Amino acid sequence: MELKLFLTVIISMIFINNFILSKFLGLCPFLGVSRNIKPAISMGAAVIFVMTLSGIITWLLYRFILLPFNITYLRTITFILVIATFVQFAEMVILKKSPILYRTLGIYLPLITTNCAVLGVTVLNINNFFVKGQAVAFSFALSLVQSVFAGVGFTLALLLMSGIRERLELNDMPECFKGIPIAFLVASLISLAFMGFNGFRF
Amino acid sequence: MIKLFKELTKGIFKENPVFVIVLGLCPALAVSTSLENAIGMGIAATFVLFFSNLIISSLRKFVPDKIRIPCFIVVIASFVTIVELLMAAFAPLLAKRLGIFVPLIVVNCIIMGRAEAFASRNKVLPSIMDGLGMGVGFTLALSSVALIRELLGNGTLLGHNILTNFNPAGIMVLAPGALMTLGILIAINNLIKNRKK
């Protein structure tokens, strides 16, 4: 029973409600970083990392501070501050502990603060797994799974897109479609393909 | 006076945030399923832009350079919270349809971008004009995407039946339709720009 619940969240986050292709969260990095495969992988890794940890921290904050003191209307301010501080903090720790990883993630780490996918997943966790100010069963574990696999879905879409855009560079197309417009049309076709997962039910 | 007017109009056409600078795409695509949602979102974002530009430009001399980004975020997030509460009280249906995208105005790159690029360097009055112009430009861009999507996807405009005897293409109100519409609109915009050169 529980397993089914978790599986549903995983499949839904990666395929059915893919953050980029059906929810339109995180489009800016999706268009900015999807020109080559290598930076796309680094960006995906950075996003999964930040999403997982900020998912955990914001859940704990909401459950043990915002809810008991009845200040849930401060949710947006708290969450964005947590994410911003956390990204800064992560940057410092990674720089100290693993310069190689720091070089791979590079400039993508600070960019994540303004990635709406991260704030999006934390708000979704609260919307989905708290009913009337009460945590549902397995709320924490479900939030964690949702945060991780939202990141995985984001990375998947980024990789697919960068693979296609690498080839698009060589193609001949009308001048006005070069760059962003053609990227949108490609994204539209991928998203059309992903709609096929819509009928997926357990 | 003329200069102020220029600050206002540049956001609408020449530096339109969505079509030209290509910022703030997530809400532009997600809430443009109907014209009503698009206008609601546009007004909310304009409100936040106006007041965050006002506060940030009046504080520009007191905020140390190193911590300016967190300061901007706090200012923006406060106004977003105000919008969230106001919308939940006065337009609950709209708040429900926009859903998660109301709190997400915080991370709308347009607002942060204007704070960083304009309001933190200019006087109060031009900053307000800039915020207003960008907000109106954003609203117009959103509405034009929504107009196409609602008309082709539902055959309606603001809920009124416009196209009768018409088989609506449901795909237009779904995700692929949004991406396609915006892609084509940006391409048309590029085409016009190239012609002018």
Side-chain angles (χ1 to χ4, degrees):
Chain A
M1 181 56 209
E2 286 90 55
L3 194 68
K4 207 170 131 189
L5 211 61
F6 285 100
L7 263 179
T8 319
V9 171
I10 293 174
I11 300 285
S12 141
M13 274 299 122
I14 300 184
F15 296 113
I16 305 170
N17 289 323
N18 185 293
F19 258 39
I20 295 178
L21 297 170
S22 83
K23 293 214 154 161
F24 304 119
L25 292 170
L27 276 173
C28 304
F30 176 64
L31 289 172
V33 198
S34 64
R35 259 181 221 123
N36 298 303
I37 289 184
K38 263 225 171 105
I41 295 178
S42 310
M43 181 71 182
V47 167
I48 295 178
F49 177 72
V50 173
M51 264 189 182
T52 312
L53 287 170
S54 42
I56 294 173
I57 297 170
T58 50
W59 190 93
L60 292 173
L61 268 178
Y62 191 82
R63 172 73 184 75
F64 294 108
I65 295 182
L66 294 189
L67 267 183
F69 291 103
N70 211 5
I71 44 174
T72 48
Y73 56 87
L74 287 180
R75 185 186 64 179
T76 315
I77 299 187
T78 331
F79 283 14
I80 189 71
L81 275 181
V82 166
I83 293 170
T85 0
F86 175 70
V87 170
Q88 288 261 300
F89 182 65
E91 206 181 330
M92 285 192 279
V93 170
I94 293 174
L95 180 65
K96 258 278 169 3
K97 295 281 172 203
S98 155
I100 301 168
L101 182 65
Y102 183 77
R103 229 171 297 145
T104 343
L105 299 182
I107 50 161
Y108 302 115
L109 214 47
L111 277 182
I112 294 175
T113 314
T114 51
N115 183 339
C116 48
V118 178
L119 184 62
V121 81
T122 57
V123 174
L124 264 189
N125 283 341
I126 303 305
N127 283 355
N128 289 358
F129 304 129
F130 281 87
V131 178
K132 294 199 177 114
Q134 290 285 320
V136 298
F138 303 107
S139 175
F140 182 70
L142 281 171
S143 305
L144 181 62
V145 168
Q146 178 156 283
S147 314
V148 175
F149 284 92
V152 173
F154 179 87
T155 313
L156 177 73
L158 205 61
L159 280 181
L160 281 176
M161 187 70 182
S162 58
I164 296 174
R165 273 182 87 178
E166 265 189 355
R167 282 168 206 211
L168 273 180
E169 294 279 303
L170 305 171
N171 287 356
D172 191 30
M173 64 184 102
E175 190 65 34
C176 60
F177 271 100
K178 271 184 187 154
I180 294 199
I182 193 73
F184 269 119
L185 293 188
V186 170
S188 156
L189 292 179
I190 303 178
S191 143
L192 201 60
F194 266 63
M195 271 177 64
F197 291 112
N198 256 339
F200 235 55
R201 293 256 184 282
F202 289 100
Chain B
M1 198 62 215
I2 294 168
K3 215 173 145 230
L4 279 184
F5 191 67
K6 239 182 206 159
E7 301 295 359
L8 184 69
T9 51
K10 76 169 185 232
I12 300 175
F13 297 108
K14 222 174 80 204
E15 290 179 32
N16 187 294
V18 177
F19 292 141
V20 182
I21 317 184
V22 201
L23 282 179
L25 294 171
C26 312
L29 291 173
V31 303
S32 61
T33 45
S34 75
L35 197 53
E36 207 183 331
N37 288 357
I39 294 173
M41 182 71 188
I43 292 173
T46 311
F47 176 86
V48 177
L49 253 171
F50 182 87
F51 283 102
S52 69
N53 266 10
L54 171 74
I55 299 285
I56 287 168
S57 70
S58 37
L59 288 178
R60 72 187 185 283
K61 285 190 185 132
F62 306 104
V63 176
D65 209 38
K66 273 200 180 138
I67 52 156
R68 67 178 192 286
I69 304 274
C71 296
F72 294 168
I73 289 183
V74 175
V75 171
I76 296 169
S78 325
F79 284 109
V80 171
T81 307
I82 293 172
V83 167
E84 241 184 301
L85 294 174
L86 281 178
M87 203 184 267
F90 293 107
L93 266 179
L94 185 69
K96 209 170 185 185
R97 271 188 313 222
L98 296 182
I100 183 177
F101 283 92
V102 184
L104 284 186
I105 299 176
V106 180
V107 278
N108 188 328
C109 332
I110 298 172
I111 296 171
M112 196 62 193
R114 286 337 281 175
E116 170 74 13
F118 200 93
S120 62
R121 292 181 196 151
N122 285 287
K123 290 205 179 108
V124 177
L125 211 55
S127 300
I128 295 176
M129 285 311 203
D130 177 77
L132 212 58
M134 285 289 161
V136 173
F138 180 64
T139 312
L140 281 181
L142 235 94
S143 312
S144 56
V145 177
L147 190 111
I148 297 173
R149 286 181 70 192
E150 198 186 343
L151 201 62
L152 295 182
N154 259 337
T156 58
L157 271 188
L158 289 171
H160 301 290
N161 259 326
I162 300 285
L163 296 175
T164 42
N165 275 336
F166 166 73
N167 209 354
I171 193 87
M172 292 308 285
V173 282
L174 296 173
L179 293 161
M180 205 185 306
T181 314
L182 192 61
I184 292 175
L185 282 179
I186 295 179
I188 293 174
N189 192 29
N190 282 349
L191 190 69
I192 296 171
K193 224 171 33 189
N194 288 347
R195 282 266 167 81
K196 269 187 190 160
K197 270 177 196 165

